[in-house]
Amino acid sequence: HVCSFPGSLPTTPSLADTQLHFEAAVMAAASDKNGRKPAPGKTARKTAEQLGMPTRWLHNLKFAASVLVVSVTSTTFSLYVMRPSPSSAPAPAREEVDCEAEGTCSSADEAEDECAKMKKAKLCIEKPFFMFRECPQTCEEQSLNAPALGRHLIEDAIPQNAIATLLELATTATMLGDGYNGMERPFKSSDFWAGVQPEDAANWAMEQPEEDGRRAKAVAWARTLVEVVRRMRELLEERFLLGDKSSIDFAQLACRSHVGDHEDNFDSHPAHADNCQRVGDECQFGRESAHWRTHAGTLYLHGPEGGEFSGGDFFYTPSWDSPRSDRARLTPRAGRMTAFEAGASNIHGVEAVRSGTRCHLSVWLVGNSDKANGVGWQAYSLQKAESVLAGWVAPNVRQYDPIDWKEAEAAYGRLCVAEAASPISIIGEAPLPAAEDGRKVQVELIGDLPGPQVARLRGLLSPEETAKLIDIGRKDLKGSVVFEDGKLVEARYRTSQTNWLGQEDDKDGVLQRLAQRISLITGLSLESAEEFQIAYYTAENQGRYEPHLDWGRDQAVTRDFGSFIDAGGEEQQKGARIATFLMYLNTVEGGGSTTFVSENLTLKAEVGTAIFWYNVRPSGAGDERVRHGACPVLAGEKWIMTKWIHDRGNEAVLEAAGGMPRIARHWSDVLQRLRTLDQQQRSAKTLNDAESWAASQPSLEPRPLVHSLSCAERALASRCDLVPMEMASACPGRCDEKLKELRKVVNDAVPPSLAQRLAELATLAVRAGGLLVNSPVLSAGVTPTEAASWAVASQEPKAKIWAEDFLSAVESVGRSVASSFGLNPPGSSAPGGLHYDYIQLVCRTSPSIAFGSSKTFFTQHQGYIPAGGDLETAVMTVMEAKARCEELPACEGFTFNGKAGSGAVTVYFKERWGLQGKGWTSYRRESQPAAGTDALAEHADNCFAEGRSCVRAPPRYHWRSHSAVLFLHSPASGDFEGGSFYFSPSWRSRESRQRIEPQPGRLVTFTAGPENIHGVEEVTNGTRCSLNVWLTRDSYRASARHEIEDALIILKEHAGHS
């Protein structure tokens, strides 16, 4: 920061001149001749005299009490003048100068505007003490939700059943002094501290006696802990937009207990920051302060209302010595999580626990690759814990972390000259699929559990096949590239040539036969796999590919590999590379081995042989121990072919291995299946008629055949609550009883007559709310305030009574939802209740009515379609523009400046739809959906689909906790046909839907997460209306908290006026 004083310096001062004056000011302000700090007023006058600064500037800037934040460019100086804090020294006496007379005073509005600018510039996080002192309340220091400070409150972060499981054994599994070198009372003499970390929890669980199911219960508890920590990490990544580049630095379940009858007001955990330590009035980084930490989260397992403890509120404080009245307090509650950035902007602590034992779970992340190499201290703790719980590693045996890229380089050089690794085990052999010559494939394990499984497959390719593949591949070789930061680029560490082989290259079917073999052997679908890639290395440049990970880099799993068209004709993202299948097309004369640097393995390139391994873990995280490299070719040449297999279409494999540390194939079962398939195919060949032959053909669908937990083990480990979609796939029906607790059907939640009255005028009222975009049928909705405004302006005689019925129905829905889940209803003064987040009465019209005989329909929107994707520009009327857009196959819509009218305007036709800004009008081209298309596609209400998971983060309404749908009429009314509401166990699971038919007054209410994916099936005729209510336990984000009151005011004001 450089201080500039206009009037005392040249008109365009140099940076050097400005720095000189700044240094003089700092020296004068810091100390006198004896090193003592002078009084603020004296400092200001002394500094002013030294600098020759006009007195009016001393007064106007309140130099003794203000901090100047200066933005400097070469010739432009922007000075932010801040008002002093109440504790600052007073400015010089008023009689010295009259700033009003001189016109040099700055207004409070200007100061507030500068505060807003600095908040936008992220000074709330970078300079929190300064902002609190100079801009009180700008950063919302006394709020539990203060995005400017990097803090969020997440209600219902973890399902209640999982929380209850953790709490049950929390005090049994924790160890006194854990994390504090055995200090049982690290903060105050009346508080005992006990904790346990994930790996220690796994060791403890596996050492429990088996009698009375104690070990099984302890193991289930430890597995729940691991999954909850993983979910907390994901929530932090989602909320702070970290991607998946973070790693865990420390995770601990801890309980603090108050002992004795004496009560005091001293904090149980004094105010502190998580990555810096107090030095004077500042917060400075240092090794003792874990300066590499970037984010933290604390999840509460219970609250004081249960009587297990009292006191113990979490708090934020704006500075070290702020009075208690400045604290933002958070009372613990089961499932409540506070998430925050780890620096000085979030100084925090725990107030006195007055009685009992209070338990919580905390996670600290390293979310920046510049800190600690991007890897936290416990980055691999969850995988290590799962290895112990799976029985792959004995309790208390040290497990080493994977080597990093620097260590990998050294290991690569050593392994490239090492002897080839011998097989750990030879599993056996079986007839090779899609091979006419009766060859067999032999399976050997070069690497195995608890590390990654690396399987070598001998005899996969015949000499004729390898020669054919080399001949196809050499025709169009190009320099190799790698995938970095979403782009394909050349890299010094990969020196080879490559060629991608598509269907047009497969004239004799060798690639098709090979794909069938790979799918049957690996148990993986190739639907989303990349094309076969040929790679050519030569000794001329010592062709090599240095150690790398096929799944990504820097902790982040690459998922942006483009899209594919699935069997249903829909475009889908490929997702991550779940596995690699690498084939050697020749035996290399010298060098050219493949090394797995973390596993100390060297594999020689041998013609016709393949190696196979999984790249990701069941959780979707990358497996760091499959880092591998291609050694330099020292003599001759090397030809390989690779098939990278992606996770889309292979969700069943990941779900089958759920809860395990890594995916591992049951190779004995694989070989047995290959033998069975061969026998079935041989038997079919003996049949004479084609119909019998076709009926006897075995299923060639890939099967997971991986190590997995039993459904009973999964259920005990709370996976019904934590990973409901996985359970629906791996253990169908196992969680049905659990789901009954999370979704309810309430008949006559409002009187059917009231619901039917709402349906009568619904189609008129929803026009006030406008169209709902992103719907395949014409849909419209209206909120309570929009309905009230429509009613008072409407000529419809029943409109006002209808609006009052609408509000009455909403309140009935709110009470019914609260009663169904044992919560306080909206509007209740009791803490922990529900709040309205959004309320809308929605009507959905069948495509046959919405589109008529036309194949397309245009919906009007306010705003413009952003630049890019331009097709053409023309001057014409809106009607002409609609006709022209229909003529252009790629046209998604058009946009023009101003409002729609009958005159000609300049129209911009677009091939990509988007909407921004104001003042423009846009029309979106809606294509008539195919028969059977859902009126509302499957979705969850507080998370969005990403691969096989549901991400609880923006842009989805992640704070929502409960939802409700009230049906206003039924198909029996004659108003509509179809339109069944449904629950689905996962994305794209039409066969397993649970359907609920609309009936007037019937309410469906459910929790808002991935356990309740839902939608509305096609409305085949007419218009179907319902009242939809979304609720939250987060009062801070409840956007419709006062919607009912506001609507009533509109109705009452109109009644008074009338």
Side-chain angles (χ1 to χ4, degrees):
H1 298 289
V2 182
C3 298
S4 167
F5 304 105
S8 63
L9 296 175
T11 306
T12 55
S14 70
L15 186 58
D17 289 337
T18 310
Q19 287 173 332
L20 276 174
H21 282 76
F22 172 64
E23 291 167 8
V26 170
M27 290 175 65
S31 62
D32 62 10
K33 292 180 180 179
N34 298 317
R36 296 188 297 268
K37 189 174 181 180
K42 181 180 178 183
T43 302
R45 285 189 289 273
K46 181 179 175 183
T47 303
E49 290 169 3
Q50 287 183 346
L51 297 182
M53 189 172 71
T55 306
R56 69 177 184 275
W57 281 102
L58 173 64
H59 180 77
N60 199 36
L61 300 181
K62 301 182 179 69
F63 189 77
S66 300
V67 176
L68 307 179
V69 180
V70 182
S71 172
V72 181
T73 63
S74 58
T75 57
T76 304
F77 295 76
S78 175
L79 184 63
Y80 297 134
V81 184
M82 307 317 307
R83 59 179 177 270
S85 67
S87 60
S88 301
R94 182 74 178 180
E95 57 267 25
E96 285 188 29
V97 63
D98 187 349
C99 70
E100 293 182 2
E102 296 193 19
T104 57
C105 295
S106 60
S107 70
D109 289 342
E110 289 173 344
E112 289 177 5
D113 183 55
E114 300 302 338
C115 285
K117 288 181 181 178
M118 289 190 288
K119 178 181 179 180
K120 188 175 181 180
K122 298 187 177 180
L123 262 66
C124 290
I125 291 177
E126 295 173 8
K127 301 289 181 184
F129 299 154
F130 160 74
M131 289 296 289
F132 174 61
R133 183 170 61 244
E134 304 302 338
C135 298
Q137 302 306 316
T138 297
C139 301
E140 301 178 274
E141 293 90 351
Q142 292 182 310
S143 174
L144 295 169
N145 277 293
L149 290 168
R151 72 174 66 149
H152 299 274
L153 175 62
I154 307 174
E155 300 283 10
D156 299 305
I158 301 296
Q160 294 295 313
N161 288 330
I163 294 291
T165 297
L166 286 182
L167 184 61
E168 186 177 2
L169 294 183
T171 56
T172 305
T174 50
M175 296 168 280
L176 285 170
D178 180 70
Y180 288 94
N181 296 319
M183 294 172 56
E184 298 179 359
R185 294 181 252 197
F187 303 116
K188 54 190 294 189
S189 60
S190 59
D191 281 10
F192 279 89
W193 173 277
V196 68
Q197 300 157 48
E199 192 174 357
D200 293 333
N203 292 330
W204 168 82
M206 293 298 286
E207 290 177 333
Q208 298 306 298
E210 294 186 1
E211 290 80 11
D212 302 323
R214 288 171 61 185
R215 181 181 298 175
K217 187 174 182 179
V219 167
W221 179 87
R223 284 186 172 132
T224 301
L225 175 64
V226 167
E227 198 61 43
V228 169
V229 169
R230 180 176 285 124
R231 182 66 191 122
M232 289 177 67
R233 171 192 167 180
E234 291 171 355
L235 284 170
L236 289 169
E237 288 177 336
E238 293 163 2
R239 203 53 47 91
F240 293 103
L241 306 179
L242 302 178
D244 53 2
K245 293 184 179 181
S246 76
S247 61
I248 295 172
D249 188 59
F250 195 65
Q252 184 185 50
L253 188 152
C255 297
R256 57 178 88 239
S257 303
H258 180 82
V259 294
D261 298 329
H262 174 70
E263 289 189 13
D264 59 51
N265 208 30
F266 294 109
D267 292 333
S268 284
H269 199 152
H272 63 284
D274 282 343
N275 68 6
C276 57
Q277 58 193 22
R278 181 173 186 175
V279 178
D281 291 335
E282 298 302 317
C283 198
Q284 295 185 3
F285 294 129
R287 289 295 304 178
E288 294 181 2
S289 62
H291 61 85
W292 51 86
R293 292 178 180 171
T294 58
H295 300 82
T298 295
L299 172 75
Y300 299 100
L301 306 188
H302 53 162
E305 71 280 355
E308 293 156 321
F309 69 94
S310 62
D313 282 0
F314 176 93
F315 68 84
Y316 293 107
T317 183
S319 66
W320 300 116
D321 300 318
S322 295
R324 287 176 175 268
S325 58
D326 284 348
R327 291 179 171 180
R329 291 176 174 82
L330 175 65
T331 299
R333 186 170 72 204
R336 173 177 272 177
M337 176 178 165
T338 182
F340 51 93
E341 296 200 25
S345 62
N346 288 304
I347 297 174
H348 60 283
V350 177
E351 294 191 335
V353 175
R354 294 190 293 273
S355 65
T357 298
R358 167 196 181 277
C359 298
H360 66 275
L361 176 57
S362 292
V363 175
W364 291 266
L365 298 184
V366 176
N368 189 324
S369 60
D370 293 333
K371 306 203 179 215
N373 262 340
V375 178
W377 182 43
Q378 293 184 346
Y380 310 106
S381 62
L382 301 188
Q383 296 94 313
K384 292 176 181 179
E386 286 176 329
S387 292
V388 174
L389 295 168
W392 296 354
V393 175
N396 299 308
V397 172
R398 182 175 180 183
Q399 300 181 59
Y400 292 93
D401 291 345
I403 63 176
D404 62 23
W405 65 271
K406 291 181 180 178
E407 297 169 311
E409 286 185 350
Y412 172 66
R414 173 176 53 81
L415 290 169
C416 281
V417 296
E419 292 294 323
S422 300
I424 295 174
S425 62
I426 299 176
I427 305 300
E429 61 181 18
L432 181 68
E436 297 296 329
D437 55 5
R439 302 196 316 272
K440 292 186 177 183
V441 60
Q442 178 176 292
V443 177
E444 305 170 350
L445 291 184
I446 306 299
D448 201 7
L449 304 173
Q453 246 187 17
V454 180
R456 180 161 58 195
L457 310 166
R458 294 188 180 276
L460 183 84
L461 295 163
S462 69
E464 294 77 18
E465 288 171 331
T466 56
K468 179 68 176 177
L469 292 169
I470 290 175
D471 186 54
I472 296 172
R474 73 166 68 247
K475 294 178 181 177
D476 192 22
L477 290 169
K478 297 177 181 178
S480 295
V481 294
V482 298
F483 201 81
E484 288 187 357
D485 301 322
K487 299 177 181 178
L488 290 171
V489 297
E490 293 184 358
R492 59 159 188 79
Y493 54 86
R494 187 182 189 189
T495 54
S496 62
Q497 294 178 292
T498 53
N499 183 12
W500 295 91
L501 305 183
Q503 291 182 354
E504 66 278 5
D505 300 302
D506 194 26
K507 294 184 171 55
D508 63 356
V510 62
L511 296 179
Q512 184 179 358
R513 293 194 300 274
L514 188 53
Q516 186 179 14
R517 289 176 202 165
I518 294 172
S519 182
L520 284 172
I521 291 171
T522 64
L524 296 171
S525 166
L526 304 189
E527 183 182 27
S528 62
E530 298 169 50
E531 292 180 328
F532 286 103
Q533 186 198 67
I534 291 278
Y536 171 62
Y537 301 80
T538 175
E540 291 181 7
N541 63 348
Q542 292 198 354
R544 70 194 185 281
Y545 195 170
E546 294 174 11
H548 60 282
L549 294 160
D550 284 356
W551 53 259
R553 59 200 297 265
D554 297 334
Q555 301 289 310
V557 176
T558 300
R559 293 184 168 85
D560 186 15
F561 283 97
S563 60
F564 72 104
I565 304 301
D566 66 13
E570 295 186 20
E571 184 177 7
Q572 306 285 354
Q573 292 300 307
K574 291 183 176 182
R577 287 174 170 173
I578 188 177
T580 298
F581 197 94
L582 187 154
M583 294 152 277
Y584 299 109
L585 304 185
N586 73 318
T587 298
V588 182
E589 184 180 343
S593 299
T594 301
T595 65
F596 287 83
V597 290
S598 284
E599 303 306 295
N600 206 33
L601 295 176
T602 300
L603 286 79
K604 297 298 184 184
E606 300 177 16
V607 64
T609 298
I611 54 175
F612 168 73
W613 68 90
Y614 295 100
N615 289 309
V616 300
R617 298 176 183 271
S619 65
D623 191 339
E624 302 83 357
R625 292 178 61 174
V626 294
R627 193 186 298 269
H628 60 286
C631 295
V633 174
L634 304 178
E637 60 184 15
K638 173 184 176 182
W639 290 89
I640 64 169
M641 187 165 73
T642 307
K643 176 68 94 171
W644 284 292
I645 306 169
H646 289 258
D647 64 10
R648 186 55 62 87
N650 288 304
E651 293 85 355
V653 175
L654 293 160
E655 288 156 353
M660 302 298 281
R662 52 173 40 91
I663 310 173
R665 200 110 164 91
H666 277 301
W667 285 105
S668 296
D669 293 347
V670 174
L671 293 178
Q672 182 56 49
R673 185 178 185 228
L674 294 181
R675 297 183 194 107
T676 302
L677 288 174
D678 181 67
Q679 291 173 358
Q680 291 173 338
Q681 289 173 333
R682 288 176 183 274
S683 298
K685 289 180 180 179
T686 64
L687 299 174
N688 295 324
D689 62 289
E691 185 176 341
S692 299
W693 178 85
S696 66
Q697 287 299 305
S699 171
L700 299 181
E701 288 295 314
R703 295 180 183 176
L705 300 178
V706 295
H707 291 260
S708 59
L709 298 176
S710 69
C711 290
E713 289 173 315
R714 294 172 191 251
L716 279 174
S718 305
R719 298 188 78 80
C720 285
D721 305 290
L722 295 169
V723 282
M725 289 188 288
E726 172 199 298
M727 290 296 289
S729 171
C731 303
R734 182 77 193 198
C735 302
D736 287 354
E737 290 302 314
K738 289 273 188 182
L739 288 174
K740 289 179 182 178
E741 302 172 12
L742 306 177
R743 57 177 74 151
K744 308 290 178 75
V745 177
V746 183
N747 290 316
D748 299 333
V750 303
S753 58
L754 187 152
Q756 290 166 338
R757 290 201 304 272
L758 288 177
E760 288 176 10
L761 297 186
T763 54
L764 295 177
V766 293
R767 296 176 185 175
L771 296 172
L772 300 180
V773 298
N774 300 324
S775 177
V777 298
L778 182 61
S779 301
V782 64
T783 66
T785 50
E786 291 170 341
S789 299
W790 166 78
V792 299
S794 175
Q795 301 299 314
E796 172 61 47
K798 297 180 180 180
K800 186 171 180 296
I801 296 174
W802 182 90
E804 291 171 347
D805 284 343
F806 183 8
L807 301 184
S808 174
V810 171
E811 291 182 317
S812 296
V813 168
R815 288 191 296 269
S816 187
V817 174
S819 175
S820 296
F821 294 99
L823 301 171
N824 292 317
S828 170
S829 58
L834 292 169
H835 308 277
Y836 295 118
D837 186 58
Y838 197 60
I839 306 162
Q840 191 174 51
L841 192 153
V842 177
C843 292
R844 305 182 186 281
T845 301
S846 67
S848 60
I849 294 177
F851 290 86
S853 59
S854 174
K855 294 296 182 183
T856 58
F857 184 90
F858 287 90
T859 52
Q860 181 180 331
H861 307 268
Q862 298 305 310
Y864 62 88
I865 306 174
D870 295 324
L871 292 173
E872 61 181 53
T873 304
V875 177
M876 57 180 62
T877 65
V878 171
M879 292 299 294
E880 291 170 336
K882 289 180 180 179
R884 179 56 182 156
C885 188
E886 288 184 341
E887 293 172 357
L888 298 170
C891 181
E892 289 289 324
F894 57 89
T895 188
F896 55 87
N897 194 0
K899 297 182 178 180
S902 57
V905 291
T906 302
V907 178
Y908 303 87
F909 295 92
K910 301 282 187 172
E911 66 176 354
R912 291 197 301 269
W913 174 259
L915 206 60
Q916 294 180 5
K918 299 178 180 178
W920 287 57
T921 301
S922 298
Y923 282 84
R924 184 176 190 179
R925 180 180 179 180
E926 309 279 1
S927 298
Q928 184 167 349
T933 302
D934 289 336
L936 180 61
E938 54 202 5
H939 64 284
D941 282 343
N942 68 8
C943 56
F944 61 89
E946 187 174 274
R948 66 191 185 105
S949 45
C950 199
V951 179
R952 191 175 176 183
R956 207 61 182 166
Y957 308 100
H958 52 81
W959 53 87
R960 290 179 178 170
S961 61
H962 297 79
S963 304
V965 178
L966 177 71
F967 302 117
L968 305 185
H969 47 170
S970 69
S973 66
D975 296 335
F976 68 95
E977 296 174 5
S980 297
F981 178 92
Y982 67 83
F983 289 110
S984 176
S986 61
W987 315 123
R988 301 176 301 280
S989 183
R990 184 177 289 268
E991 300 79 15
S992 304
R993 289 178 174 178
Q994 176 191 346
R995 294 170 176 82
I996 300 172
E997 299 304 324
Q999 293 292 335
R1002 172 176 286 175
L1003 177 75
V1004 182
T1005 180
F1006 46 94
T1007 53
E1011 67 279 2
N1012 284 311
I1013 296 171
H1014 60 282
V1016 176
E1017 294 191 329
E1018 180 186 22
V1019 178
T1020 55
N1021 193 29
T1023 299
R1024 167 199 183 276
C1025 300
S1026 64
L1027 172 57
N1028 301 337
V1029 180
W1030 294 270
L1031 303 104
T1032 177
R1033 298 180 75 185
D1034 187 343
S1035 60
Y1036 176 82
R1037 289 188 171 88
S1039 60
R1041 188 175 182 180
H1042 303 294
E1043 178 90 10
I1044 302 301
E1045 294 90 329
D1046 293 343
L1048 285 170
I1049 289 171
I1050 294 172
L1051 294 174
K1052 289 178 180 178
E1053 285 180 348
H1054 178 263
H1057 178 72
S1058 298

